[in-house]
Amino acid sequence: MTTNTPTQPQKTYPTVDTLVAAMHRMTDDPLHDTGSAMVIYRGNPAAKLMIVGEAPGPQENKQGKPFVGPSGKLLDQILASVQLESEKDVFVTNAVFRLPPGVDGKAVRKPTTPEINFYKPYLLEIIRLIDPKIILLTGAVSMQAVLNETKLGITKMRGQWFEAAGRWIMPIFHPAYLLRNPDKSPGSPKALMWQDIQEVRRKYAELGLAESTKT
Ligand code: URA
């Protein structure tokens, strides 16, 4: 499937390091005044497989790296099940780069559309500089940021490839959703994730990416 995803970032930086440094200096973003940390990436900047999550949670806010809490542990296991190492073969980032503080005793809330839109040029710039060949979008927020999809839910979209600007993009379930739905019976979210990650592995091999990752 092809899509009209915008590919031109609105802000350009010469390298990932200059972009990361500029993001760490940022004070005009909508979540700056919450005091949450700027959490940008973990993994290998030379990886050809990128994973885009939603926003940092409390563990990520503490450690300054995405997907290091319970969702991240499950994500690493899912990747390892198809012989992908998250620190070597993957670049992991988020659509929103600071924790959106929760209300009513919750640690975190879903990012709002203005928040997603504000950080989107930075995410697109990360994508341009890292230049992944495969991008996995975990859940609805990253699907909104990268594919502009707000109507179709993740259950409809998951497991399908979208091709944009020479990149293969697949929405997948968010690991947090799998933690809430541990059933593994046929047709369950976990069973579908297993199907999707095997398709990702197949595409990764088909594109010859196993040989191209520099460390
Ligand atoms: N959930 C996400 O989407 N991203 C993280 O970094 C952590 C949890």
Side-chain angles (χ1 to χ4, degrees), residues 89-102:
D89 301 315
V90 188
F91 181 95
V92 184
T93 188
N94 278 313
V96 164
F97 301 99
R98 292 189 201 270
L99 175 147

Side-chain angles (χ1 to χ4, degrees), residues 16-35:
V16 179
D17 287 350
T18 51
L19 169 62
V20 166
M23 290 174 74
H24 279 296
R25 286 194 303 269
M26 200 148 74
T27 55
D28 65 346
D29 56 307
L31 291 168
H32 174 264
D33 290 350
T34 64

Side-chain angles (χ1 to χ4, degrees), residues 26-195:
M26 200 148 74
T27 55
D28 65 346
D29 56 307
L31 291 168
H32 174 264
D33 290 350
T34 64
S36 333
M38 176 60 70
V39 176
I40 306 175
Y41 80 89
R42 72 172 171 96
N44 183 359
K48 295 295 159 198
L49 171 58
M50 179 184 284
I51 295 182
V52 185
E54 180 173 309
Q59 287 291 334
E60 289 76 19
N61 185 51
K62 240 187 243 155
Q63 294 187 39
K65 288 182 179 187
F67 279 112
V68 290
S71 292
K73 300 264 172 320
L74 178 56
L75 181 66
D76 285 0
Q77 285 168 14
I78 292 166
L79 293 165
S81 75
V82 290
Q83 291 75 51
L84 291 168
E85 260 181 63
S86 69
E87 291 302 314
K88 171 175 159 282
D89 301 315
V90 188
F91 181 95
V92 184
T93 188
N94 278 313
V96 164
F97 301 99
R98 292 189 201 270
L99 175 147
V103 284
D104 300 333
K106 291 201 173 131
V108 55
R109 63 165 166 76
K110 190 172 179 272
T112 63
T113 292
E115 287 163 357
I116 295 167
N117 290 344
F118 180 92
Y119 294 107
K120 179 171 168 165
Y122 294 93
L123 173 61
L124 294 181
E125 185 60 353
I126 289 173
I127 293 173
R128 184 185 74 83
L129 289 165
I130 298 298
D131 194 22
K133 296 297 169 245
I134 296 178
I135 304 177
L136 303 181
L137 307 173
T138 65
V141 168
S142 55
M143 211 165 69
Q144 176 173 350
V146 176
L147 293 177
N148 299 316
E149 181 56 64
T150 52
K151 293 201 176 64
L152 296 176
I154 193 74
T155 306
K156 279 244 156 56
M157 297 284 284
R158 58 136 282 278
Q160 298 182 57
W161 287 117
F162 296 85
E163 197 184 2
R167 307 189 205 286
W168 292 91
I169 305 171
M170 182 192 281
I172 57 173
F173 285 124
H174 195 289
Y177 179 70
L178 301 179
L179 288 173
R180 292 194 301 271
N181 293 276
D183 174 30
K184 289 185 183 161
S185 58
S188 63
K190 268 203 159 168
L192 295 172
M193 175 62 107
W194 172 237
Q195 213 172 285

